[in-house]
Amino acid sequence: MSPEPLLVGIDLGTTNIKAIVFDRAGTVIAGASVPTPTVYPRPTWAHHDPTEYWLKAAQAIRQAVSQLDDPQRIVSVAVTSTGETGFPLDAQGEATYESIAWFDGRTKAEAQWLDEHIGADRLFAITGLSLQPIFSLCKILWLRKHAPEAYARTVRWLNAADFVAFRLCGVAATDRSLASRMLMLNLHEMRWATELLDEVDIPHDLLAPLLPSGTPLQQITAEAAALTGLPPSTLVSVGGHDHVCGALAVGVTEPGNMLNSLGTAEAVFLPLRRPMTDPQTGRQGYTQGAHTAGDYYVF
């Protein structure tokens, strides 16, 4: 009888990067944690060096895998992360600029520009998000204005979980829960808001293909296997937004349940059957998104 297969989950958090090995029943078999490498160049600014970020993620995986008697039991890996951190990549898959952290405060002017040119109520009607500087669209607009040479070389913008998955297997993709934190997803139709992208002159193909959380992508590369200690046969699957994956894990998937997701940042998570459309909801600062289990949620 063959040994029971194991799964690996990677959580790219604000404070720490964690790797957990568990069985199909959810029992934790091994785990490791390393500090998230973050640079604070000036007040309210924070970013990650993409190479260091990937190497730290690989280190956490390697430390967790090294605790196993038989790493060959690992069959699949997926990554979850904070929702607004983005990695700009060139045509060779190399970073063109630092990754602006989700909580970085440099993009207030871009949020104001969007309010003036698109309107906060209209953005809420399309994306389900209240207009806040942290969202990915504001970061992309900032890069275009303040680092035009880097922006000109950028052909792909990946969320943090998508970036590490890309480093693991070479396939670019994102799930709907992460996409719905970017201020560029049509939340009602579960597609990229191409009409909005056209208005702000962002190429459609800058954004990765949208896939359901859990979708198999590809086996890890030989380089990633050597760096992480994962078996070369390990399949990489699409991950998701950290709070949303946490809600799925504890069974908060139906309206009437609530999760207080508390870490470095806190979010009160409520599942919804459909997005709320009253603009007053957005004006009050609420944000909505796609649940990994289907349907929607509100913070």
Side-chain angles (χ1 to χ4, degrees):
M1 186 173 181
S2 60
E4 182 179 7
L6 300 177
L7 308 171
V8 177
I10 305 161
D11 177 32
L12 308 171
T14 306
T15 306
N16 293 291
I17 294 174
K18 300 170 284 291
I20 303 295
V21 183
F22 54 97
D23 62 22
R24 289 186 294 183
T27 303
V28 174
I29 307 300
S33 177
V34 299
T36 302
T38 307
V39 179
Y40 300 90
R42 64 177 76 175
T44 77
W45 285 38
H47 67 252
H48 313 290
D49 174 84
T51 299
E52 185 180 12
Y53 195 89
W54 157 237
L55 291 176
K56 285 294 184 182
Q59 178 185 345
I61 300 168
R62 186 170 61 252
Q63 290 179 0
V65 171
S66 69
Q67 300 169 32
L68 302 176
D69 294 332
D70 183 10
Q72 298 302 315
R73 292 172 60 192
I74 295 172
V75 296
S76 187
V77 60
V79 191
T80 183
S81 73
T82 56
E84 299 83 23
T85 302
F87 289 76
L89 305 180
D90 64 17
Q92 287 71 48
E94 299 299 323
T96 62
Y97 200 76
E98 296 94 352
S99 168
I100 302 175
W102 74 266
F103 55 90
D104 180 283
R106 75 185 72 179
T107 52
K108 291 181 179 179
E110 284 67 35
Q112 180 62 36
W113 184 88
L114 286 169
D115 192 16
E116 294 170 355
H117 289 78
I118 306 297
D121 284 354
R122 183 157 174 260
L123 286 165
F124 179 80
I126 296 170
T127 68
L129 298 175
S130 61
L131 178 54
Q132 300 176 30
I134 63 172
F135 294 125
S136 306
L137 178 56
C138 297
K139 292 175 167 65
I140 293 172
L141 295 175
W142 185 93
L143 184 69
R144 184 170 70 183
K145 179 178 180 180
H146 295 278
E149 292 185 1
Y151 178 79
R153 293 187 290 110
T154 300
V155 301
R156 184 73 78 195
W157 185 277
L158 295 179
N159 295 295
D162 311 327
F163 170 72
V164 170
F166 176 74
R167 285 284 178 263
L168 284 168
C169 71
V171 178
T174 192
D175 95 306
R176 294 157 183 166
S177 68
L178 283 167
S180 59
R181 301 297 293 177
M182 298 178 73
L183 202 62
M184 292 179 282
L185 182 77
N186 185 315
L187 188 61
H188 306 271
E189 300 179 14
M190 290 298 185
R191 62 170 177 82
W192 292 122
T194 52
E195 66 280 13
L196 173 60
L197 296 176
D198 289 340
E199 289 187 54
V200 297
D201 196 24
I202 299 295
H204 300 181
D205 57 3
L206 184 70
L207 306 178
L210 281 168
L211 295 172
S213 182
T215 301
L217 293 176
Q218 190 166 286
Q219 289 181 343
I220 63 171
T221 65
E223 179 183 2
L227 195 59
T228 62
L230 291 167
S233 58
T234 304
L235 180 66
V236 180
S237 297
V238 177
H241 185 206
D242 51 8
H243 291 294
V244 190
C245 290
L248 177 67
V250 297
V252 180
T253 59
E254 298 292 330
N257 296 321
M258 183 183 79
L259 170 68
N260 186 352
S261 182
L262 182 61
T264 306
E266 180 180 17
V268 176
F269 185 101
L270 296 168
L272 302 172
R273 287 292 182 215
R274 60 187 61 84
M276 295 185 290
T277 57
D278 184 347
Q280 189 63 30
T281 304
R283 294 170 196 161
Q284 292 174 342
Y286 291 101
T287 63
Q288 305 171 92
H291 203 307
T292 51
D295 293 328
Y296 306 91
Y297 69 85
V298 63
F299 282 161

